[in-house]
Amino acid sequence: MTSEADRTNDEVADLVGRLVTPEETDGAERRRLLGRLSKALADSARKARRAGTGRGRWLADVFMNIAPRLPVRDYATLQEHHYGLTGEQLADDLVRTAVKATTAVGAIGGALAAAEFAAPPLLLSAPAQIVAETLVVAAIEVKLLAELHEVYGVKVTGNGSQRATEFALAWSKQRGVNPLAPGSATVALGAAAKTALRKRLMRTMGRHLTTLGPFLTGAVAGGALNRTATRKLAEAVRADLRRQRALPPGSPD
């Protein structure tokens, strides 16, 4: 029998999965989905608080339930979805799409958080919308990181959960995965890796907390901060992947 906690986790993962594919939703739908996600997270956070779970640990646990379910596309599908582009041009287009998505989420989240800052529910001392925005932005960036590995031909082995763990850890370090490094394709995050992931998520949430302010300033700040952060991540990961391996055969420089 599926527990209430499992149903909440499934709902959160499903909503985040829909929010990381912005081409399938318009602005009004994204706002609606972000609102539903905030409510689901509020419920999960209240249970975590009652169980004595710390905010950082809870946030990392929620994210690691989401990561294996992210809709990461293979190289052929990426080409099909991006008009046949290959190589660096395909990577450029992936980054543009991800930047546009995190900018949109930041603008929506910043506006909602600013408007509802004084209203319940609060998530472990942070507004629900800020936590929702943090998880969606992290998911978009991890999906981008995983798909950039496809573009640059750097294969990460293992099953879905193992690969998701590797990509989440790489995101926490803001770099690409080195498949030859010791410990690659591990089944679970170790203590040091969990700490790194918690710190990165908390740092991302702290960035989003700075968007609290009058309605329009919150929206503008949220979008701008996410745009800058996603571009910075993409630049670091692409530089790392270029050092590891050439682009797939036949791809233009």
Side-chain angles (χ1 to χ4, degrees):
M1 181 180 293
T2 304
S3 69
E4 184 179 350
D6 288 338
R7 286 194 294 271
T8 299
N9 289 338
D10 289 344
E11 181 183 9
V12 167
D14 176 66
L15 289 168
V16 172
R18 293 168 67 182
L19 281 160
V20 300
T21 52
E23 63 273 10
E24 298 180 7
T25 58
D26 57 21
E29 177 67 2
R30 284 195 292 272
R31 280 189 286 274
R32 189 183 69 82
L33 292 174
L34 196 60
R36 284 182 56 192
L37 177 61
S38 299
K39 291 178 181 178
L41 288 169
D43 182 56
S44 175
R46 281 192 294 269
K47 293 173 183 175
R49 178 181 286 173
R50 287 197 296 267
T53 304
R55 178 173 58 184
R57 178 184 167 190
W58 168 76
L59 195 60
D61 287 346
V62 171
F63 185 70
M64 285 313 300
N65 182 64
I66 294 168
R69 311 187 201 193
L70 292 175
V72 176
R73 298 164 291 182
D74 61 20
Y75 187 70
T77 304
L78 287 170
Q79 283 187 291
E80 180 183 349
H81 289 179
H82 290 265
Y83 311 102
L85 294 175
T86 60
E88 295 288 355
Q89 291 180 334
L90 176 55
D92 287 342
D93 210 41
L94 280 178
V95 173
R96 278 193 294 268
T97 301
V99 167
K100 184 178 178 180
T102 59
T103 299
V105 171
I108 294 169
L112 288 175
E116 301 182 21
F117 175 63
L122 299 183
L123 296 185
L124 301 174
S125 301
Q129 294 82 5
I130 294 295
V131 178
E133 179 187 350
T134 297
L135 289 172
V136 174
V137 167
I140 291 170
E141 292 184 345
V142 169
K143 181 175 184 287
L144 169 64
L145 184 150
E147 292 181 344
L148 285 174
H149 282 70
E150 286 290 322
V151 173
Y152 286 93
V154 177
K155 299 299 182 183
V156 179
T157 59
N159 60 34
S161 294
Q162 291 168 339
R163 284 164 50 84
T165 296
E166 290 292 337
F167 291 133
L169 180 57
W171 174 78
S172 73
K173 296 179 177 179
Q174 302 284 280
R175 61 178 300 168
V177 175
N178 181 357
L180 301 180
S184 291
T186 53
V187 174
L189 288 170
K194 287 180 180 178
T195 298
L197 179 60
R198 283 198 300 268
K199 287 183 176 179
R200 175 58 59 183
L201 286 165
M202 293 299 289
R203 191 174 297 124
T204 302
M205 188 165 73
R207 182 179 79 227
H208 295 154
L209 282 168
T210 65
T211 65
L212 294 175
F215 186 89
L216 290 177
T217 60
V220 171
L225 288 172
N226 284 350
R227 180 169 59 248
T228 299
T230 302
R231 282 177 176 165
K232 182 179 178 181
L233 168 71
E235 289 171 2
V237 170
R238 291 176 72 176
D240 213 10
L241 295 177
R242 288 186 191 109
R243 286 192 293 268
Q244 290 190 52
R245 187 168 178 172
L247 290 164
S251 298
D253 292 337

